[in-house]
Amino acid sequence: MMLSASDPALPAPARVQPVVDAAPSPPGRIRLAVLVIFTSLGGDAWQSLLGWPAFIVLVAALSAACVVSLVRSHAANPLPLSRYSKPLIAFLVLCTLSIIWSQYPSATVLGVVSQWLTAIAGVFVAISLSWVEILRALGTALRWLLGLSLLFEFFVAAIVRHQVGAPWLLDPWNRPPGDYQWSEGNLFNGGAIQGIVGNRNLLAFLVLLALIVFTIELIEKTRPMVTSVIWIGVALLEHALTRSATVLLATAGVAFVMVVVLVVRRVPVAKRLIIYPFGFLGLIGLIAVTLNLSDQLFPLLHRGDNLTGRVAIWNTVLNLAWQHPVLGWGWVSYWAPWVEPFKNLIVINGTVYLQAHNAWIDVFLQLGLVGLFVFSCLIAATGVRAWWMAVDPPLQPLHTPQAARGASGRRGPTSALVGRPTPYQAIALLPLLVLAALVIQSLTESRLIVEGNFLLLVLLATKVKLDPLPLGPPPRSMR
């Protein structure tokens, strides 16, 4: 249990020291961060609109820009390797080393390159922006994603008036399967909408992230209140229109985590150990209720009670994973459908599936038990830091700190200071709630290890290690 700085028995903080408020980042760097987040979270939209070749060029250009920015930041303010998340480094190194024992080396090379590019982008956002700027960048990117999705669905339903198929992502000369449509034009007929990402579960998860971000923005008043309220309304509307059962359950899980945090915040530090068992029991109860209600809930949303075939997919992948249980088959991120064993491994209604629909099972398949352990350490380390950031009272320095340029090049820790508690900030909930959403979704989707979700994981793992406490003047005073 971590002690509070307000404990009279504690003469000085026994935790990460406070940081001073940051100077604003250059506008160009913030715009690049917004575009990186938009592209990573909305990668399926770019792929459907431009096709894979143009999407790869776009990713390469953004990655190059991130590398240039990181090199300049490092030249101005070198960051020791010890300041990065060690489990994150271990996971990336293990992915890279798997080229040695991979059953499909060429595909592993592609997967490793993709993983490193995504990680670089996440580190760029974490190092370049403050927590408030990350909140605003996420908010801007998610507004574009949700706004364009609603406009796209309106255009298809009102103007086109029939299904719109995206260019076939892997073979542009053949038509995609009948159940693979960019939009089914369901906005006015009561069906589920898919948005510009072409999948209702992916759009619903973006909505869940948006609800977290927009609500924190509303509380912290980092945007005009009317704007925040309108966009929360848009997010709730799209949540209802996606009719995603898995994200509905994820929303309940995130809400439960938030309630537990708010309760723990009101409990004195010395008595918090009493609360934690009840929190775990509540989580188990929530899972049990979810499983018991799935027979009734999923059919109401036109979903099967077996998570739309995911159980069969998991069984198939697990049987394959146990053939190489220690180090796995080799990293590949998205499955490469042109190599064994992924070639036609999972085909449902003519659609070739390129993931296990469970990030943990996918990691086990690709990196074995060793990879599963390292990945679990990454989630656990990030989760613990995010938890303390959410529940510990922030500290305000008792005297003006000496200027100290930090690892991010924008701010840094002060010398040993005695701090006094200040009111909680809503932004301190951001890492924990986003991580909770990512982890809950990872149970039914493998997105946590690819593209936007992995970028968010890298962003959180890096930022909570470098800058774990958003101290200084509360964001509400920064208007």
Side-chain angles (χ1 to χ4, degrees):
M1 168 64 66
M2 183 174 292
L3 296 176
S4 169
S6 61
D7 192 332
L10 189 63
R15 45 182 265 178
V16 178
Q17 297 166 352
V19 292
V20 297
D21 188 34
S25 296
R29 191 177 299 175
I30 296 177
R31 295 190 188 100
L32 176 59
V34 171
L35 183 56
V36 165
I37 294 172
F38 176 90
T39 301
S40 62
L41 292 176
D44 294 82
W46 286 114
Q47 295 159 18
S48 297
L49 178 65
L50 305 176
W52 270 97
F55 177 68
I56 292 174
V57 171
L58 174 62
V59 170
L62 291 176
S63 299
C66 292
V67 169
V68 170
S69 179
L70 286 173
V71 169
R72 290 178 176 175
S73 296
H74 182 76
N77 298 278
L79 177 62
L81 189 62
S82 61
R83 295 297 306 279
Y84 290 100
S85 168
K86 294 179 179 62
L88 174 60
I89 296 174
F91 180 73
L92 292 171
V93 169
L94 184 62
C95 290
T96 305
L97 291 178
S98 71
I99 297 174
I100 300 174
W101 62 81
S102 174
Q103 306 299 308
Y104 31 77
S106 59
T108 297
V109 170
L110 293 176
V112 168
V113 170
S114 172
Q115 212 69 26
W116 275 99
L117 292 180
T118 306
I120 289 171
V123 171
F124 157 75
V125 177
I127 289 180
S128 301
L129 307 184
S130 69
W131 279 113
V132 177
E133 290 167 343
I134 289 173
L135 178 69
R136 292 183 64 88
L138 282 170
T140 300
L142 289 168
R143 280 174 170 81
W144 277 103
L145 287 166
L146 267 60
L148 290 175
S149 292
L150 201 57
L151 288 175
F152 175 61
E153 290 290 350
F154 177 82
F155 175 79
V156 174
I159 307 300
V160 180
R161 297 184 180 180
H162 59 74
Q163 294 180 341
V164 174
W168 186 225
L169 303 182
L170 299 178
D171 188 354
W173 291 276
N174 292 331
R175 294 177 60 85
D179 64 343
Y180 188 91
Q181 299 294 328
W182 193 1
S183 173
E184 297 179 350
N186 289 330
L187 183 60
F188 300 140
N189 62 19
I193 66 170
Q194 300 169 216
I196 60 174
V197 292
N199 183 289
R200 66 173 171 180
N201 288 325
L202 299 184
L203 177 60
F205 185 72
L206 294 179
V207 169
L208 175 56
L209 292 178
L211 286 173
I212 295 171
V213 172
F214 296 168
T215 301
I216 294 176
E217 286 183 331
L218 175 64
I219 297 173
E220 296 291 10
K221 299 180 180 178
T222 58
R223 295 182 188 269
M225 180 179 295
V226 174
T227 300
S228 295
V229 170
I230 290 174
W231 279 104
I232 289 175
V234 171
L236 290 173
L237 174 63
E238 293 195 38
H239 200 316
L241 292 173
T242 56
R243 300 173 63 177
S244 171
T246 55
V247 176
L248 179 61
L249 299 178
T251 303
V254 171
F256 175 79
V257 171
M258 183 178 68
V259 170
V260 172
V261 170
L262 295 179
V263 170
V264 170
R265 280 183 170 188
R266 294 179 175 274
V267 176
V269 174
K271 298 181 179 180
R272 287 181 179 177
L273 282 177
I274 303 175
I275 298 296
Y276 292 143
F278 290 99
F280 286 116
L281 290 175
L283 180 61
I284 294 174
L286 179 64
I287 295 174
V289 170
T290 297
L291 294 177
N292 290 331
L293 291 180
S294 62
D295 289 344
Q296 292 79 31
L297 174 63
F298 280 56
L300 290 176
L301 300 172
H302 303 289
R303 309 302 293 268
D305 60 2
N306 66 342
L307 293 175
T308 319
R310 283 177 172 83
V311 174
I313 296 175
W314 297 340
N315 289 332
T316 300
V317 176
L318 284 173
N319 290 333
L320 194 63
W322 282 112
Q323 297 181 22
H324 300 277
V326 179
L327 292 174
W329 287 73
W331 187 252
V332 70
S333 67
Y334 276 128
W335 297 352
W338 60 87
V339 300
E340 296 293 345
F342 304 116
K343 188 175 183 179
N344 296 323
L345 176 62
I346 305 292
V347 182
I348 300 178
N349 296 326
T351 298
V352 179
Y353 282 71
L354 303 180
Q355 58 161 313
H357 279 286
N358 183 296
W360 305 85
I361 294 177
D362 240 329
V363 171
F364 177 38
L365 170 69
Q366 300 179 38
L367 296 177
L369 294 173
V370 174
L372 196 58
F373 172 77
V374 174
F375 187 70
S376 299
C377 289
L378 171 59
I379 299 298
T382 307
V384 168
R385 290 181 182 276
W387 173 261
W388 293 126
M389 180 174 165
V391 302
D392 273 6
L395 298 179
Q396 185 72 29
L398 293 180
H399 63 81
T400 303
Q402 300 295 325
R405 301 294 293 180
S408 67
R410 302 174 53 258
R411 61 182 185 176
T414 64
S415 57
L417 297 173
V418 177
R420 59 174 175 235
T422 60
Y424 283 107
Q425 299 173 9
I427 195 173
L429 293 170
L430 179 66
L432 183 63
L433 296 184
V434 171
L435 181 64
L438 292 172
V439 173
I440 294 172
Q441 194 210 30
S442 73
L443 302 178
T444 55
E445 300 283 347
S446 296
R447 306 288 294 195
L448 183 56
I449 59 176
V450 296
E451 292 186 353
N453 288 24
F454 185 68
L455 181 144
L456 290 178
L457 176 59
V458 172
L459 164 61
L460 295 177
T462 304
K463 193 63 175 177
V464 296
K465 178 74 181 295
L466 292 176
D467 193 6
L469 297 171
L471 300 183
R476 285 182 293 274
S477 69
M478 297 174 62
R479 294 183 58 188

Short mmCIF file of all heavy atoms in Angstrom, two decimals, residues 416-450:
data_model
loop_
_atom_site.label_atom_id
_atom_site.label_comp_id
_atom_site.label_asym_id
_atom_site.label_seq_id
_atom_site.Cartn_x
_atom_site.Cartn_y
_atom_site.Cartn_z
N ALA A 416 14.01 17.27 -3.97
CA ALA A 416 13.20 16.68 -2.91
C ALA A 416 12.36 17.75 -2.23
O ALA A 416 12.87 18.66 -1.59
CB ALA A 416 14.11 16.01 -1.88
N LEU A 417 11.04 17.64 -2.40
CA LEU A 417 10.12 18.65 -1.88
C LEU A 417 9.11 18.01 -0.95
O LEU A 417 8.72 16.85 -1.13
CB LEU A 417 9.38 19.34 -3.03
CG LEU A 417 10.23 20.13 -4.03
CD1 LEU A 417 9.35 20.58 -5.16
CD2 LEU A 417 10.88 21.32 -3.34
N VAL A 418 8.68 18.77 0.03
CA VAL A 418 7.54 18.35 0.84
C VAL A 418 6.30 18.93 0.18
O VAL A 418 6.24 20.12 -0.10
CB VAL A 418 7.68 18.85 2.28
CG1 VAL A 418 6.44 18.48 3.08
CG2 VAL A 418 8.93 18.27 2.91
N GLY A 419 5.29 18.09 -0.10
CA GLY A 419 4.12 18.56 -0.80
C GLY A 419 2.90 18.57 0.10
O GLY A 419 2.86 17.91 1.13
N ARG A 420 1.90 19.33 -0.29
CA ARG A 420 0.63 19.34 0.43
C ARG A 420 -0.45 18.87 -0.53
O ARG A 420 -0.42 19.17 -1.73
CB ARG A 420 0.31 20.74 0.94
CG ARG A 420 0.21 21.81 -0.15
CD ARG A 420 -0.25 23.15 0.42
NE ARG A 420 -0.21 24.15 -0.63
CZ ARG A 420 0.44 25.29 -0.54
NH1 ARG A 420 1.14 25.58 0.55
NH2 ARG A 420 0.41 26.17 -1.51
N PRO A 421 -1.41 18.08 -0.04
CA PRO A 421 -2.46 17.56 -0.91
C PRO A 421 -3.26 18.68 -1.56
O PRO A 421 -3.52 19.71 -0.94
CB PRO A 421 -3.32 16.72 0.03
CG PRO A 421 -2.43 16.43 1.20
CD PRO A 421 -1.54 17.62 1.34
N THR A 422 -3.67 18.48 -2.78
CA THR A 422 -4.55 19.40 -3.49
C THR A 422 -5.75 18.61 -4.01
O THR A 422 -5.73 17.38 -4.00
CB THR A 422 -3.82 20.07 -4.68
OG1 THR A 422 -3.39 19.04 -5.59
CG2 THR A 422 -2.61 20.85 -4.21
N PRO A 423 -6.80 19.27 -4.44
CA PRO A 423 -7.98 18.53 -4.91
C PRO A 423 -7.63 17.59 -6.06
O PRO A 423 -6.75 17.86 -6.87
CB PRO A 423 -8.93 19.65 -5.36
CG PRO A 423 -8.50 20.84 -4.57
CD PRO A 423 -7.02 20.72 -4.43
N TYR A 424 -8.34 16.47 -6.12
CA TYR A 424 -8.16 15.51 -7.20
C TYR A 424 -8.49 16.16 -8.54
O TYR A 424 -9.36 17.04 -8.63
CB TYR A 424 -9.07 14.30 -7.02
CG TYR A 424 -8.58 13.32 -5.98
CD1 TYR A 424 -9.21 13.22 -4.75
CD2 TYR A 424 -7.51 12.48 -6.24
CE1 TYR A 424 -8.79 12.31 -3.79
CE2 TYR A 424 -7.07 11.57 -5.29
CZ TYR A 424 -7.71 11.50 -4.07
OH TYR A 424 -7.27 10.59 -3.14
N GLN A 425 -7.80 15.71 -9.55
CA GLN A 425 -8.09 16.16 -10.91
C GLN A 425 -8.73 15.02 -11.69
O GLN A 425 -8.30 13.86 -11.60
CB GLN A 425 -6.80 16.61 -11.61
CG GLN A 425 -6.11 17.77 -10.92
CD GLN A 425 -4.76 18.06 -11.53
OE1 GLN A 425 -4.41 17.52 -12.56
NE2 GLN A 425 -4.00 18.93 -10.90
N ALA A 426 -9.73 15.33 -12.48
CA ALA A 426 -10.39 14.30 -13.27
C ALA A 426 -9.44 13.68 -14.29
O ALA A 426 -9.56 12.50 -14.62
CB ALA A 426 -11.61 14.89 -13.98
N ILE A 427 -8.48 14.46 -14.76
CA ILE A 427 -7.56 13.95 -15.77
C ILE A 427 -6.70 12.81 -15.24
O ILE A 427 -6.18 12.00 -16.01
CB ILE A 427 -6.66 15.10 -16.30
CG1 ILE A 427 -5.97 14.68 -17.60
CG2 ILE A 427 -5.65 15.53 -15.26
CD1 ILE A 427 -5.22 15.81 -18.26
N ALA A 428 -6.57 12.71 -13.90
CA ALA A 428 -5.81 11.60 -13.32
C ALA A 428 -6.48 10.26 -13.56
O ALA A 428 -5.85 9.21 -13.43
CB ALA A 428 -5.63 11.83 -11.82
N LEU A 429 -7.77 10.27 -13.93
CA LEU A 429 -8.50 9.03 -14.24
C LEU A 429 -8.24 8.55 -15.66
O LEU A 429 -8.53 7.39 -15.99
CB LEU A 429 -10.00 9.25 -14.06
CG LEU A 429 -10.50 9.49 -12.64
CD1 LEU A 429 -11.96 9.92 -12.68
CD2 LEU A 429 -10.33 8.25 -11.78
N LEU A 430 -7.72 9.42 -16.52
CA LEU A 430 -7.60 9.09 -17.94
C LEU A 430 -6.81 7.82 -18.19
O LEU A 430 -7.31 6.91 -18.90
CB LEU A 430 -6.98 10.28 -18.70
CG LEU A 430 -6.76 10.07 -20.20
CD1 LEU A 430 -8.11 9.94 -20.91
CD2 LEU A 430 -5.96 11.24 -20.79
N PRO A 431 -5.59 7.66 -17.66
CA PRO A 431 -4.83 6.45 -17.98
C PRO A 431 -5.53 5.18 -17.52
O PRO A 431 -5.57 4.19 -18.27
CB PRO A 431 -3.50 6.66 -17.24
CG PRO A 431 -3.42 8.11 -16.99
CD PRO A 431 -4.82 8.59 -16.81
N LEU A 432 -6.08 5.18 -16.31
CA LEU A 432 -6.69 3.96 -15.79
C LEU A 432 -7.94 3.58 -16.57
O LEU A 432 -8.13 2.39 -16.91
CB LEU A 432 -7.05 4.15 -14.31
CG LEU A 432 -7.64 2.93 -13.62
CD1 LEU A 432 -6.63 1.79 -13.59
CD2 LEU A 432 -8.09 3.28 -12.20
N LEU A 433 -8.80 4.54 -16.87
CA LEU A 433 -10.04 4.22 -17.58
C LEU A 433 -9.76 3.77 -19.02
O LEU A 433 -10.40 2.83 -19.52
CB LEU A 433 -10.98 5.42 -17.57
CG LEU A 433 -11.48 5.86 -16.19
CD1 LEU A 433 -12.48 7.01 -16.33
CD2 LEU A 433 -12.10 4.70 -15.43
N VAL A 434 -8.81 4.43 -19.69
CA VAL A 434 -8.47 4.00 -21.06
C VAL A 434 -7.84 2.62 -21.03
O VAL A 434 -8.17 1.75 -21.87
CB VAL A 434 -7.52 5.02 -21.71
CG1 VAL A 434 -6.97 4.47 -23.04
CG2 VAL A 434 -8.23 6.34 -21.96
N LEU A 435 -6.95 2.37 -20.07
CA LEU A 435 -6.34 1.04 -19.97
C LEU A 435 -7.40 -0.02 -19.67
O LEU A 435 -7.35 -1.13 -20.23
CB LEU A 435 -5.26 1.04 -18.89
CG LEU A 435 -4.51 -0.28 -18.70
CD1 LEU A 435 -3.73 -0.62 -19.97
CD2 LEU A 435 -3.59 -0.23 -17.49
N ALA A 436 -8.35 0.30 -18.79
CA ALA A 436 -9.42 -0.65 -18.49
C ALA A 436 -10.21 -0.99 -19.75
O ALA A 436 -10.53 -2.16 -20.01
CB ALA A 436 -10.35 -0.07 -17.42
N ALA A 437 -10.53 0.03 -20.56
CA ALA A 437 -11.25 -0.21 -21.81
C ALA A 437 -10.43 -1.10 -22.75
O ALA A 437 -10.96 -2.03 -23.37
CB ALA A 437 -11.57 1.12 -22.48
N LEU A 438 -9.13 -0.83 -22.86
CA LEU A 438 -8.26 -1.62 -23.73
C LEU A 438 -8.21 -3.08 -23.29
O LEU A 438 -8.31 -4.00 -24.11
CB LEU A 438 -6.85 -1.02 -23.74
CG LEU A 438 -6.66 0.34 -24.40
CD1 LEU A 438 -5.25 0.86 -24.14
CD2 LEU A 438 -6.93 0.28 -25.90
N VAL A 439 -8.04 -3.30 -21.98
CA VAL A 439 -7.89 -4.66 -21.47
C VAL A 439 -9.20 -5.43 -21.61
O VAL A 439 -9.21 -6.60 -22.00
CB VAL A 439 -7.43 -4.63 -20.01
CG1 VAL A 439 -7.45 -6.03 -19.41
CG2 VAL A 439 -6.01 -4.06 -19.93
N ILE A 440 -10.32 -4.78 -21.30
CA ILE A 440 -11.61 -5.46 -21.42
C ILE A 440 -11.87 -5.84 -22.88
O ILE A 440 -12.31 -6.96 -23.17
CB ILE A 440 -12.74 -4.57 -20.87
CG1 ILE A 440 -12.58 -4.38 -19.36
CG2 ILE A 440 -14.11 -5.19 -21.17
CD1 ILE A 440 -13.53 -3.38 -18.76
N GLN A 441 -11.59 -4.92 -23.80
CA GLN A 441 -11.80 -5.26 -25.21
C GLN A 441 -10.87 -6.36 -25.67
O GLN A 441 -11.20 -7.14 -26.58
CB GLN A 441 -11.61 -4.02 -26.09
CG GLN A 441 -12.14 -4.22 -27.51
CD GLN A 441 -11.38 -3.41 -28.55
OE1 GLN A 441 -10.19 -3.14 -28.40
NE2 GLN A 441 -12.07 -3.02 -29.62
N SER A 442 -9.68 -6.46 -25.05
CA SER A 442 -8.71 -7.47 -25.46
C SER A 442 -9.21 -8.89 -25.24
O SER A 442 -8.66 -9.84 -25.78
CB SER A 442 -7.39 -7.28 -24.71
OG SER A 442 -7.50 -7.67 -23.35
N LEU A 443 -10.28 -9.05 -24.44
CA LEU A 443 -10.83 -10.38 -24.20
C LEU A 443 -11.65 -10.88 -25.37
O LEU A 443 -11.90 -12.09 -25.49
CB LEU A 443 -11.68 -10.36 -22.93
CG LEU A 443 -10.96 -9.92 -21.64
CD1 LEU A 443 -11.92 -9.89 -20.48
CD2 LEU A 443 -9.77 -10.82 -21.35
N THR A 444 -12.11 -9.98 -26.24
CA THR A 444 -12.92 -10.40 -27.39
C THR A 444 -12.36 -9.92 -28.72
O THR A 444 -12.90 -10.26 -29.77
CB THR A 444 -14.36 -9.86 -27.25
OG1 THR A 444 -14.32 -8.43 -27.09
CG2 THR A 444 -15.06 -10.49 -26.06
N GLU A 445 -11.30 -9.11 -28.69
CA GLU A 445 -10.64 -8.64 -29.90
C GLU A 445 -9.13 -8.67 -29.68
O GLU A 445 -8.67 -8.53 -28.54
CB GLU A 445 -11.08 -7.21 -30.26
CG GLU A 445 -12.56 -7.02 -30.51
CD GLU A 445 -13.01 -7.52 -31.87
OE1 GLU A 445 -12.12 -7.79 -32.73
OE2 GLU A 445 -14.22 -7.65 -32.09
N SER A 446 -8.36 -8.79 -30.74
CA SER A 446 -6.90 -8.77 -30.64
C SER A 446 -6.32 -7.41 -30.94
O SER A 446 -5.11 -7.28 -31.15
CB SER A 446 -6.29 -9.82 -31.59
OG SER A 446 -6.67 -11.12 -31.24
N ARG A 447 -7.15 -6.38 -30.94
CA ARG A 447 -6.68 -5.05 -31.34
C ARG A 447 -5.65 -4.48 -30.38
O ARG A 447 -4.89 -3.57 -30.75
CB ARG A 447 -7.86 -4.08 -31.42
CG ARG A 447 -9.01 -4.52 -32.30
CD ARG A 447 -8.69 -4.46 -33.77
NE ARG A 447 -8.48 -3.10 -34.23
CZ ARG A 447 -8.47 -2.74 -35.51
NH1 ARG A 447 -8.64 -3.66 -36.46
NH2 ARG A 447 -8.27 -1.50 -35.87
N LEU A 448 -5.56 -4.99 -29.16
CA LEU A 448 -4.61 -4.44 -28.20
C LEU A 448 -3.18 -4.59 -28.65
O LEU A 448 -2.31 -3.83 -28.24
CB LEU A 448 -4.81 -5.13 -26.83
CG LEU A 448 -3.93 -4.62 -25.68
CD1 LEU A 448 -4.11 -3.13 -25.48
CD2 LEU A 448 -4.24 -5.38 -24.40
N ILE A 449 -2.90 -5.54 -29.52
CA ILE A 449 -1.51 -5.78 -29.95
C ILE A 449 -1.23 -5.21 -31.33
O ILE A 449 -0.13 -5.44 -31.88
CB ILE A 449 -1.17 -7.29 -29.93
CG1 ILE A 449 -2.11 -8.08 -30.85
CG2 ILE A 449 -1.24 -7.83 -28.51
CD1 ILE A 449 -1.77 -9.56 -30.96
N VAL A 450 -2.18 -4.46 -31.89
CA VAL A 450 -1.97 -3.90 -33.23
C VAL A 450 -2.50 -2.48 -33.30
O VAL A 450 -3.35 -2.06 -32.51
CB VAL A 450 -2.66 -4.75 -34.33
CG1 VAL A 450 -2.07 -6.14 -34.41
CG2 VAL A 450 -4.16 -4.83 -34.09
#
